[in-house]
């Protein structure tokens, strides 16, 4: 880690002024080879409630569904996981003489594209990067502005486009697989566990989530000569009242396996209603389909018997150094859901990026963007380590398969970890364009 020697605001100061400043401060910190040039969102003053009172402050923005939106329960815990992660970084001394603050410029978007854009405009002038931009359409709505401002972001999404610079303009620090590749990995695991199905069916929200998942399932089916009986588009119950239409199609088609890419409540309703009416196949649920609150519902019996959750990294019962650190951060308490883990794991790339830019002597937006190419990220075992700059190799993306288990904290028990795809499918561009 570098010393605290810093230079200030060169990204905002005209060249003659920089030269005058350099002349006036000759033989001072400016000449120190340990200098770090600071840009927008970095201050010499300490952060509010700083852990290290002598450190400066790096401000990161957060745009998330914290209240009022369909993913608010998840978003709130993602935020708590991120707060814990950066608190741990600050307790370890911070980054190059700076603490990191993600609280001052946190804004609730309620998962609204319009509200996301409004809040983005409010915080953009004050932050070095976005520690969270939740939602693909939401992030897409401000991507042009992020591009012109060189503002990099951690996404709250697993849309396949985030793996490709042509789609995310090289600004997004994604972690793990995509919804599209999740389907391929999950179906390969299913075939190994239960035998290759003859038929499958997908149910999901259209767009970057459900459609991405469905395309992956279709490509897997084509490669394995499996029939896709239907791709059912549905929506949250707040919009369609219930999931009866999807259930009726499952009952009439009787697929061997159903892939679900909805919110937890809708997934539980589909599984419970289909099983209670005689469907005897199985369900694979995408990452957002699980919430520990499902343990308290009448659907838990059907979920336990017929549902497997597919996750991008280890759950609460994981044995990696990352999961140990996550559990220690709560000092014996439990988070409300797995979002806490998401927030922590998603933060590793941005920490590595800040460190890389500081090592190169410049904590500015343009320096961060330039440092992404070739960035090496150590996830402390939560995920395989990754080098950014190229899409992740398909065979290096992995999943954890779990089953509901009320005896396990947070309600899921891993039955397979580090699962990778054995089917080769085309994956050189986004599976869908939302």
């Amino acid at each position: 880690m570098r010393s605290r020697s810093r230079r200030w605001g060169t990204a905002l100061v005209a060249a003659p002024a920089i030269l005058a400043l350099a002349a006036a401060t000759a033989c001072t910190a400016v000449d120190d080879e340990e200098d770090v040039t600071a840009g927008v969102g970095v201050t010499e003053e300490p952060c509010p409630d700083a852990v290290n009172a002598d450190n400066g402050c790096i401000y990161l923005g957060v745009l998330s569904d914290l209240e009022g939106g369909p993913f608010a329960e998840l978003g709130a815990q993602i935020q708590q996981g991120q707060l814990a992660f950066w608190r741990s970084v600050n307790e370890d001394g911070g980054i190059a003489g700076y603490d990191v603050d993600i609280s001052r410029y946190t804004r609730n978007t309620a998962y609204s594209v319009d509200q996301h854009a409004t809040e983005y405009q409010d915080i953009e002038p004050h932050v070095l990067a976005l520690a969270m931009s939740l939602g693909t359409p939401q992030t897409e709505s401000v991507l042009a502005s992020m591009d012109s401002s060189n503002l990099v972001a951690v996404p709250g999404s697993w849309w396949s486009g985030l793996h490709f610079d042509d789609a995310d303009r090289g600004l997004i620090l994604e972690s793990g697989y995509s919804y599209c590749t999740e389907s391929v990995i999950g179906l390969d695991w299913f075939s190994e566990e239960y035998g290759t199905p003859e038929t499958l069916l997908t149910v999901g929200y259209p767009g970057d989530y459900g459609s991405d998942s469905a395309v992956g399932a279709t490509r897997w089916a084509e490669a394995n000569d499996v029939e896709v009986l239907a791709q059912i588009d549905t929506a949250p119950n707040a919009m369609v009242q219930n999931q009866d239409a999807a259930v009726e199609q499952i009952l009439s088609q009787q697929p061997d396996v159903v892939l679900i890419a909805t919110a937890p409540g809708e997934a539980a309703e589909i599984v419970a209603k289909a099983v209670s009416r005689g469907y005897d196949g199985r369900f694979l649920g995408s990452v957002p389909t699980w919430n520990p609150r499902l343990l308290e519902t009448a659907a838990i019996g059907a979920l336990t018997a017929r549902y497997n959750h597919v996750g991008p990294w280890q759950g609460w019962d994981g044995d990696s150094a990352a999961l140990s650190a996550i559990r220690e951060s709560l000092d014996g308490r439990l988070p409300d859901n797995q979002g806490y883990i998401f927030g922590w794991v998603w933060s590793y790339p941005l920490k590595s990026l800040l460190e890389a830019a500081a090592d190169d002597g410049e904590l500015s937006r343009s320096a961060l963007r330039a440092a992404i190419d070739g960035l090496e990220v150590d996830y402390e075992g939560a995920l395989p380590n990754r080098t950014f700059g190229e899409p992740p190799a398909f065979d290096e993306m992995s999943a954890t398969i779990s089953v509901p288990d009320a005896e396990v904290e947070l309600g899921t028990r891993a039955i397979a970890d580090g699962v990778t795809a054995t089917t080769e499918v085309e994956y050189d561009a986004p599976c869908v364009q939302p």
Side-chain angles (χ1 to χ4, degrees):
M1 183 175 294
R2 293 225 171 206
S3 72
R4 273 204 65 212
S5 300
R6 301 181 296 248
R7 291 182 293 178
W8 297 99
T10 54
L12 302 176
V13 181
I18 295 173
L19 293 174
L21 177 64
T25 56
C27 300
T28 69
V30 173
D31 292 327
D32 189 333
E33 64 179 5
E34 297 291 342
D35 282 351
V36 176
T37 302
V40 173
V42 185
T43 69
E44 187 172 12
E45 293 74 26
C47 298
D49 301 319
V51 172
N52 302 289
D54 293 335
N55 276 2
C57 190
I58 296 171
Y59 288 100
L60 304 176
V62 172
L63 298 170
S64 186
D65 182 1
L66 301 175
E67 185 178 0
F71 296 104
E73 288 191 31
L74 198 62
Q77 286 301 300
I78 290 171
Q79 166 76 345
Q80 291 303 311
Q82 290 183 294
L83 286 167
F85 179 90
W86 291 110
R87 182 169 61 247
S88 174
V89 170
N90 292 338
E91 288 172 350
D92 285 342
I95 293 178
Y98 300 89
D99 281 9
V100 177
D101 180 285
I102 68 164
S103 296
R104 183 168 183 175
Y105 296 107
T106 287
R107 299 291 185 271
N108 175 39
T109 68
Y111 206 64
S112 159
V113 172
D114 290 341
Q115 191 166 334
H116 189 103
T118 298
E119 299 294 358
Y120 170 85
Q121 294 299 329
D122 180 46
I123 68 171
E124 185 274 331
H126 309 291
V127 298
L128 178 61
L130 294 177
M132 173 51 58
S133 181
L134 187 76
T136 300
Q138 291 77 1
T139 302
E140 290 280 291
S141 73
V142 297
L143 194 58
S145 177
M146 292 170 59
D147 190 11
S148 62
S149 301
N150 288 315
L151 197 67
V152 304
V154 171
S157 169
W158 288 280
W159 171 48
S160 58
L162 303 181
H163 282 162
F164 303 98
D165 286 354
D166 288 346
D168 71 9
R169 309 192 191 198
L171 291 165
I172 304 301
L173 296 167
E174 76 281 359
S175 293
Y177 57 45
S178 68
Y179 300 121
C180 185
T181 55
E182 174 187 75
S183 292
V184 178
I185 297 169
L187 285 165
D188 275 336
W189 170 83
F190 181 92
S191 297
E192 180 69 23
E193 188 75 11
Y194 295 101
T196 303
E198 294 182 1
T199 57
L200 67 84
L201 180 151
T202 65
V203 185
Y205 300 156
D208 63 295
Y209 176 25
S211 298
D212 213 52
S213 173
V215 168
T218 299
R219 291 179 181 176
W220 179 89
E222 291 172 348
N224 289 281
D225 195 24
V226 173
E227 184 179 6
V228 180
L229 298 177
Q231 176 182 332
I232 303 171
D233 290 338
T234 187
N237 283 350
M239 298 174 61
V240 298
Q241 309 304 316
N242 58 57
Q243 300 300 308
D244 287 354
V247 172
E248 291 299 330
Q249 290 208 49
I250 292 170
L251 293 172
S252 65
Q253 304 269 13
Q254 292 292 326
D256 292 327
V257 59
V258 178
L259 276 81
I260 305 180
T262 66
E266 287 76 5
E269 179 185 344
I270 291 167
V271 173
K273 286 183 173 178
V275 171
S276 68
R277 294 180 59 189
Y279 173 64
D280 61 0
R282 293 195 62 85
F283 299 87
L284 285 176
S286 182
V287 192
T289 58
W290 176 256
N291 186 319
R293 291 166 64 91
L294 296 180
L295 294 170
E296 305 165 5
T297 70
I300 190 58
L303 288 166
T304 301
R306 303 286 186 82
Y307 161 92
N308 289 107
H309 180 255
V310 187
W313 40 66
Q314 294 180 333
W316 192 253
D317 58 346
D319 58 0
S320 66
L323 264 297
S324 295
I326 292 169
R327 289 188 291 263
E328 289 172 7
S329 74
L330 285 163
D331 195 26
R333 293 174 289 113
L334 278 178
D336 290 341
N337 58 55
Q338 307 273 6
Y340 191 94
I341 301 172
F342 301 169
W344 186 288
V345 175
W346 264 325
S347 300
Y348 282 109
L350 188 50
K351 173 177 178 284
S352 297
L353 187 65
L354 293 173
E355 291 173 338
D359 284 345
D360 289 339
E362 185 175 341
L363 277 170
S364 68
R365 293 177 177 179
S366 58
L368 260 61
R369 187 174 190 174
I372 291 177
D373 189 13
L375 179 70
E376 297 181 357
V377 179
D378 181 351
Y379 287 94
E380 295 191 297
L383 282 170
N385 292 348
R386 178 183 170 189
T387 300
F388 279 76
E390 297 290 337
F394 192 80
D395 59 0
E396 293 178 358
M397 289 184 277
S398 61
T400 296
I401 311 295
S402 303
V403 294
D405 188 337
E407 301 300 318
V408 178
E409 292 177 325
L410 294 191
T412 57
R413 173 170 47 84
I415 58 174
D417 190 25
V419 180
T420 56
T422 54
T423 296
E424 293 185 10
V425 300
E426 179 184 349
Y427 193 67
D428 55 9
C431 296
V432 296
Q433 289 291 344

